[in-house]
């Protein structure tokens, strides 16, 4: 279903036309941790993305962060990624880089899998080799969107798109490596930095007098700030309680509580 919107509404862009779902929040704290007693050596990939930009701030409380943009750490260059980890030997690898063009992935399958799966496998293998933690971000697209209630971590995955399948394979590569990892699935990410749905709607509203937005796709808009702060909080706990840190290994869903449709989201924006 679609609703007509005037200049106070917005339209769903093509990249958001796939089935979306609600991800249930498992970690609720949104506090920036105090400086860790044990300072970490951290490599951050995708530093200029929405989540990466916020991670530069939140991870700074934990130690020395080497923030790498696409020029320094292009996930299409697997040898360069491997060398980067081998040279710096960080205690934590935070991978906020990904191929995220959902619709375009259908015609760029090789590129999507190389960035979202093959490069992740390299990071996981290197993390295992040097006994470092790998923090990786995934998506609601690993599910098929047919569940009425919020998805939980134990729900069966069933991606319907190349993008979703490539992200799921990345998750599986991490688990197969037996490295220490945290996988955070999230949805509908927004921030003040980078391209996102709210900014797209605002731009369209300036260009068009009437827009259309679907109201039958439901999800949970999630701020990059929340994702970054939960990440640093988890890493802080790992440094403070090393004996039980192994118990934290796993896959977690990060979104705020509640849900909305794209149409409801657009109405809130304006």
């Amino acid at each position: 279903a679609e609703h007509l919107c005037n200049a106070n509404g917005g339209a769903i862009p093509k990249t958001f036309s796939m089935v979306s779902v609600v991800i249930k929040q498992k970690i609720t704290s949104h506090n920036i941790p105090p400086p860790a007693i044990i300072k970490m050596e951290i490599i951050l990939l995708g530093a200029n993305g929405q989540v990466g930009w916020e991670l530069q701030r939140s991870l700074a409380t934990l130690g020395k962060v080497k923030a790498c943009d696409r020029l320094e750490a292009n996930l299409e260059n697997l040898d360069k990624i491997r060398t980067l980890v081998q040279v710096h030997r960080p205690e934590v690898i935070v991978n906020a880089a990904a191929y995220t063009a959902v619709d375009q992935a259908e015609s760029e399958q090789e590129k999507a899998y190389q960035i979202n799966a093959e490069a992740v496998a390299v990071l996981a293998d290197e993390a295992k080799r040097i006994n470092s933690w790998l923090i990786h971000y995934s998506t609601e697209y690993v599910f098929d969107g047919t569940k009425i209630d919020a998805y939980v971590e134990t729900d069966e995955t069933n991606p319907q798109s190349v993008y979703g399948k490539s992200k799921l394979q990345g998750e599986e590569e991490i688990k197969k490596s037996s490295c220490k990892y945290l996988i955070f699935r999230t949805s509908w990410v927004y921030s003040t930095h980078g391209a996102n749905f709210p900014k797209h709607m605002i731009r369209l509203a300036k260009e068009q007098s009437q827009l259309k937005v679907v109201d039958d796709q439901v999800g949970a808009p999630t701020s990059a700030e929340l994702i970054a702060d939960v990440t640093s909080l988890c890493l802080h706990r790992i440094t403070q309680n090393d004996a039980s840190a192994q118990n934290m290994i796993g896959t977690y869903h990060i979104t705020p509580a509640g849900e909305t449709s794209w149409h409801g989201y657009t109405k809130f924006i304006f």
Side-chain angles (χ1 to χ4, degrees):
E2 294 180 332
H3 284 276
L4 291 176
C5 297
N6 55 25
N8 291 325
I12 182 170
K14 191 170 188 293
T15 46
F16 286 110
S17 62
M18 306 300 291
V19 174
S20 294
V21 297
V22 181
I23 290 183
K24 183 178 181 181
Q25 181 183 16
K26 187 168 183 179
I27 301 176
T28 59
S29 177
H30 190 197
N31 299 317
I32 302 174
I37 297 175
I38 303 174
K39 293 294 184 178
M40 292 178 163
E41 294 283 339
I42 302 170
I43 283 183
L44 169 61
L45 307 179
N48 285 341
Q50 291 191 93
V51 176
W53 189 261
E54 290 291 342
L55 282 166
Q56 291 188 62
R57 167 192 55 80
S58 68
L59 294 176
T61 65
L62 300 173
K64 181 180 177 182
V65 180
K66 180 173 177 56
C68 304
D69 59 15
R70 191 170 182 272
L71 290 176
E72 188 171 6
N74 187 342
L75 267 62
E76 293 180 69
N77 189 333
L78 303 185
D79 290 336
K80 189 173 183 179
I81 294 298
R82 190 183 300 277
T83 300
L84 179 70
V85 177
Q86 291 175 351
V87 169
H88 293 279
R89 299 184 66 85
E91 293 162 272
V92 181
I93 303 166
V94 182
N95 181 32
Y99 182 102
T100 58
V102 177
D103 288 339
Q104 193 172 336
E106 299 298 323
S107 59
E108 292 185 344
Q109 295 188 28
E110 183 176 351
K111 184 176 181 180
Y113 274 97
Q114 183 176 27
I115 295 173
N116 291 344
E118 294 174 27
V120 175
V122 169
L123 292 174
D125 288 343
E126 289 303 311
K128 173 64 176 179
R129 187 180 63 82
I130 63 176
N131 195 34
S132 66
W133 282 83
L134 174 60
I135 313 302
H136 180 71
Y137 302 94
S138 193
T139 173
E140 81 272 27
Y141 282 89
V142 299
F143 299 111
D144 58 21
T146 59
K147 186 179 179 182
I148 296 176
D149 299 326
Y151 279 87
V152 296
E153 291 83 348
T154 54
D155 283 330
E156 182 178 355
T157 54
N158 186 27
Q160 300 297 295
S161 63
V162 169
Y163 169 67
K165 291 174 182 177
S166 69
K167 291 297 288 183
L168 180 59
Q169 184 173 324
E171 292 186 16
E172 293 171 345
E173 294 289 351
I174 292 172
K175 296 173 184 177
K176 186 170 64 176
S177 75
S178 299
C179 70
K180 298 181 294 186
Y181 71 89
L182 296 175
I183 296 173
F184 293 125
R185 293 176 182 151
T186 189
S187 68
W188 297 20
V189 178
Y190 68 90
S191 72
T192 58
H193 179 83
N196 51 57
F197 183 76
K199 290 183 179 180
H200 187 79
M201 293 298 98
I202 292 170
R203 179 179 62 79
L204 288 181
K206 293 177 180 178
E207 299 171 353
Q208 304 176 34
S209 60
Q210 192 177 73
L211 306 170
K212 293 183 179 181
V213 186
V214 297
D215 70 349
D216 59 352
Q217 297 178 11
V218 178
T222 307
S223 73
E225 180 183 11
L226 171 65
I227 298 168
D229 286 347
V230 169
T231 300
S232 59
L233 177 64
C234 289
L235 287 175
H236 175 72
R237 289 179 177 173
I238 286 172
T239 64
Q240 300 305 304
N241 196 4
D242 188 62
S244 62
Q246 201 79 8
N247 296 330
M248 293 182 63
I249 292 174
T251 302
Y252 301 90
H253 290 177
I254 303 178
T255 68
E259 63 185 64
T260 188
S261 66
W262 288 116
H263 181 259
Y265 190 9
T266 303
K267 288 177 66 178
F268 177 81
I269 292 169
F270 294 104

